């Protein structure tokens, strides 16, 4: 059985607990901008509901489903196994994610350290002394030898009378949440960057393929032009013009190949690999399927689902606790200490009751004059909160701006692709007619060259417009928060933060 605490120690701890239970707090009520109403639209004007279907690659109609839950792995809406695999590797190996995880563990350790202030601090001490003093002090001769053995157990405790301890812990607890949301934001940013870079790679590869086809076509036209020159049908300047056109098209190929290399290297870095060691499937637009249904959160839900908004909210709560800490500094600090143990000159009587010692001390300190430091600290805490308040508003506005832009983008991208498809079809027919007319000698080379340039431009523009539909669909899903809240271990994380 454990030996019961001495009555002075028990009284000390009882006083401390009672003081903590009666503690008040100087933390002000959290001041947060009002949340948007679900009746509020994201965009000016009529909200888009369904896009048109331009047809062909990336030409599906997209239905915008307001108030529908987004899949926790939002990138699966593109139905690409290669993309799923790449993101899985990235989330596992990315140094950015590893750094965010380490910062979260650091914040958790700090919170655990700050939580220790709620408990009494107990220290054990054991000391043995052997001394000699001279007898000359008392008019004698020789020396006096003596021993002293001292063992004690000390307890110190800071009663949380004004709630300072709880404010310190609440501050560190909110900073843990901040790092948790920073980690979630890092994951969302990483997955978004992988998806958009993969789309960039696919679009650039398609442009390279189209450019090579255009160059091959230009070579055939050059052969035709040279044959007509040899037949005396045209002059040599027309041949040189065609050579110049072919060289101009060929000159666009190396920059595209360089850009493709950059995207592939960037994807390697995103998943934590060196560019030379990256082994994966290269992406093409045909590997991706355009999401036909786009779930869009309601405005009030967006505040709970955007990691960056939740992160700033955690910072605001931490700053609010710091205001309470600054206010509490004007009031007394109480410290209770106690010690009990034994002291004896002979080890044989160390545990004898006559050798027992104890002390009980209560102290209180009150700031009287500190040259305006406490007022300045309080003003500093309020200013820090005001800055975060403004930052929160800015983050929310930026989030709504991204969603609004994303909604309009998917609407306008479909219209742009439909128009571009018509332009490509028309330019293709015009080029066929111009070629036939040129071979028959019914039109000049300038007419053929004009049709050729228009077709080449329309072909490259169509590829860019196709990729833009994928890009903007991905950007909208990222702007909505990415669906992390639908993970089984995150269901509780969506509780309202505006209470």
């Amino acid at each position: 059985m454990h030996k019961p605490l001495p009555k002075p120690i028990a009284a000390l701890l009882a006083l401390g607990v009672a003081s903590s239970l009666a503690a008040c707090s100087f933390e002000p009520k959290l001041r947060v901008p009002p949340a948007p109403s679900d009746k509020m639209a994201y965009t000016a004007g009529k909200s888009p509901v369904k896009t048109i279907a331009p047809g062909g690659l990336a030409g599906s109609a997209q239905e915008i489903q307001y108030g529908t839950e987004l899949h926790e792995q939002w990138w699966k809406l593109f139905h690409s196994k290669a993309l799923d695999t790449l993101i899985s590797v990235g989330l596992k190996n990315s140094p950015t994610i590893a750094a965010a995880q380490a910062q979260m563990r650091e914040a958790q350790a700090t919170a655990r350290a700050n939580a220790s202030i709620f408990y009494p601090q107990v220290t054990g001490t054991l000391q043995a002394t052997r001394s000699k003093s001279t007898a000359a002090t008392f008019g004698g001769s020789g020396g006096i030898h003596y021993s002293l053995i001292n063992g004690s157990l000390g307890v110190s405790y800071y009663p949380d009378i004004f709630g300072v301890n709880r404010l310190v812990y609440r501050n560190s607890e909110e900073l843990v949440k901040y790092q948790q949301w920073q980690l979630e934001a890092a994951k969302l940013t990483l997955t978004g960057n992988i998806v958009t870079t993969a789309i960039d790679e696919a679009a650039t590869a398609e442009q390279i393929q189209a450019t090579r086809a255009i160059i091959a076509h230009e070579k055939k036209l050059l052969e035709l032009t040279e044959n007509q020159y040899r037949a005396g049908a045209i002059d040599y300047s027309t041949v040189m013009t065609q050579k110049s056109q072919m060289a101009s098209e060929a000159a666009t190929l190396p920059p595209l190949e360089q850009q493709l290399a950059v995207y592939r290297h960037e994807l390697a870095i995103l998943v934590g690999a060196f560019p030379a060691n990256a082994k994966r499937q290269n992406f093409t637009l045909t590997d991706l399927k355009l999401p036909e249904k786009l779930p869009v959160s309601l405005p009030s839900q967006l505040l709970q689902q955007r990691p960056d908004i939740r992160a700033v909210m955690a910072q605001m709560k931490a700053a609010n606790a710091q205001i309470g800490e600054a206010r509490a500094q004007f009031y007394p600090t109480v410290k209770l200490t106690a010690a009990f143990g034994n002291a004896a000159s002979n080890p044989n009587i160390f545990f004898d009751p006559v050798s027992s010692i104890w002390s009980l001390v209560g102290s209180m300190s009150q700031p009287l004059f500190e040259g305006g430091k406490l007022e300045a600290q309080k003003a500093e805490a309020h200013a820090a909160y005001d800055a975060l308040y403004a930052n929160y508003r800015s983050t929310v506005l930026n989030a709504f701006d991204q969603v609004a832009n994303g909604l309009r983008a998917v609407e306008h991208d479909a219209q742009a692709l439909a128009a571009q498809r018509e332009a490509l079809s028309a330019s293709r027919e015009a080029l066929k007619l111009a070629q036939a007319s040129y071979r028959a000698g019914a039109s000049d080379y300038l007419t053929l060259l004009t049709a050729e340039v228009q077709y080449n431009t329309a072909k490259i523009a169509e590829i860019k417009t196709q990729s833009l539909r994928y890009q903007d669909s991905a950007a909208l899903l990222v702007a909505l928060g990415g669906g992390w809240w639908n993970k089984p271990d995150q269901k509780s994380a969506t509780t309202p933060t505006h209470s």
Side-chain angles (χ1 to χ4, degrees), residues 149-421:
I149 302 174
N150 191 320
S152 64
L153 190 66
V155 181
S156 62
Y157 183 64
Y158 290 86
D160 199 17
I161 297 175
F162 299 107
V164 177
N165 297 350
R166 282 181 287 178
L167 290 170
V168 171
Y169 180 70
R170 187 173 303 168
N171 177 283
S172 58
E173 191 177 37
E174 292 301 330
L175 292 179
V176 170
K177 293 179 181 178
Y178 168 76
Q179 292 298 342
Q180 289 173 338
W181 294 121
Q182 288 292 85
L183 172 59
E184 204 62 57
K187 291 179 180 178
L188 180 60
T189 301
L190 177 68
T191 55
N193 286 341
I194 290 175
V195 171
T196 54
T197 306
I199 295 170
D200 283 333
E201 177 191 329
T204 306
E206 294 283 345
Q207 291 182 59
I208 289 174
Q209 185 178 354
T211 301
R212 286 173 177 166
I214 290 170
I215 293 172
H217 178 71
E218 296 287 356
K219 287 182 179 179
K220 291 182 179 179
L221 284 178
L222 178 59
E223 292 175 2
L224 174 63
T225 306
E226 288 175 337
N227 290 337
Q228 289 183 328
Y229 167 71
R230 283 191 287 267
I234 58 175
D235 56 24
Y236 190 67
S237 63
T238 303
V239 176
M240 294 306 297
T241 301
Q242 177 58 29
K243 281 187 177 181
S244 175
Q245 175 64 17
M246 187 182 71
S248 296
E249 293 293 345
T252 64
L253 191 56
L256 288 173
E257 291 174 335
Q258 169 62 20
Q259 191 61 61
L260 180 61
V262 169
Y263 289 138
R264 288 176 175 170
H265 296 163
E266 186 176 344
L267 276 176
I269 299 302
L270 286 171
V271 300
F274 290 103
N277 298 337
K279 296 180 180 179
R280 61 174 181 82
Q281 175 184 330
N282 294 328
F283 288 99
T284 63
L285 291 180
T286 54
D287 296 327
L288 304 170
K289 182 179 179 182
L290 188 74
E292 296 181 359
K293 294 182 179 181
L294 294 172
V296 176
S297 307
L298 296 176
S300 63
Q301 295 174 322
L302 187 66
L303 302 186
Q304 310 302 320
Q305 295 169 356
R306 286 273 300 221
D308 55 345
I309 295 177
R310 298 294 293 268
V312 180
M313 174 58 69
Q315 285 183 307
M316 288 175 63
K317 290 184 176 181
N320 203 53
Q322 286 184 320
I323 293 176
E325 290 179 48
R327 290 178 174 180
Q329 297 303 316
F330 288 87
Y331 291 83
T333 299
V334 177
K335 180 181 181 181
L336 304 177
T337 58
F340 69 95
N342 293 71
S345 59
N346 191 324
N348 295 329
I349 62 171
F350 181 76
F351 292 102
D352 193 290
V354 74
S355 299
S356 65
I357 57 174
W358 62 266
S359 67
L360 177 63
V361 180
S363 64
M364 182 178 69
S365 61
Q366 168 67 53
L368 297 177
F369 177 74
E370 297 196 14
K373 183 181 77 172
L374 298 182
E375 284 290 350
Q377 289 176 339
K378 186 174 72 171
E380 179 185 11
H382 279 283
Y385 185 87
D386 290 341
L388 288 171
Y389 183 94
N391 189 30
Y392 179 85
R393 291 188 59 224
S394 177
T395 304
V396 171
L397 290 173
N398 183 58
F400 275 74
D401 178 58
Q402 291 176 353
V403 174
N405 289 340
L407 288 170
R408 287 303 182 203
V410 297
E411 178 185 29
H412 295 147
D413 288 346
Q415 297 170 357
L417 183 57
Q420 194 58 54
R421 286 259 160 82

Side-chain angles (χ1 to χ4, degrees), residues 54-59 199 202-204 206-207 209-210 214 285 413-428 453-470:
L57 182 64
I199 295 170
T204 306
E206 294 283 345
Q207 291 182 59
Q209 185 178 354
I214 290 170
L285 291 180
D413 288 346
Q415 297 170 357
L417 183 57
Q420 194 58 54
R421 286 259 160 82
E422 290 184 7
L424 179 62
S425 178
S427 64
R428 184 185 295 113
V453 171
Q454 289 176 343
Y455 172 77
N456 295 346
T457 302
K459 181 61 179 176
I460 298 299
E462 183 203 31
I463 295 173
K464 292 180 178 178
T465 309
Q466 288 172 349
S467 67
L468 200 57
R469 289 200 80 190
Y470 290 109

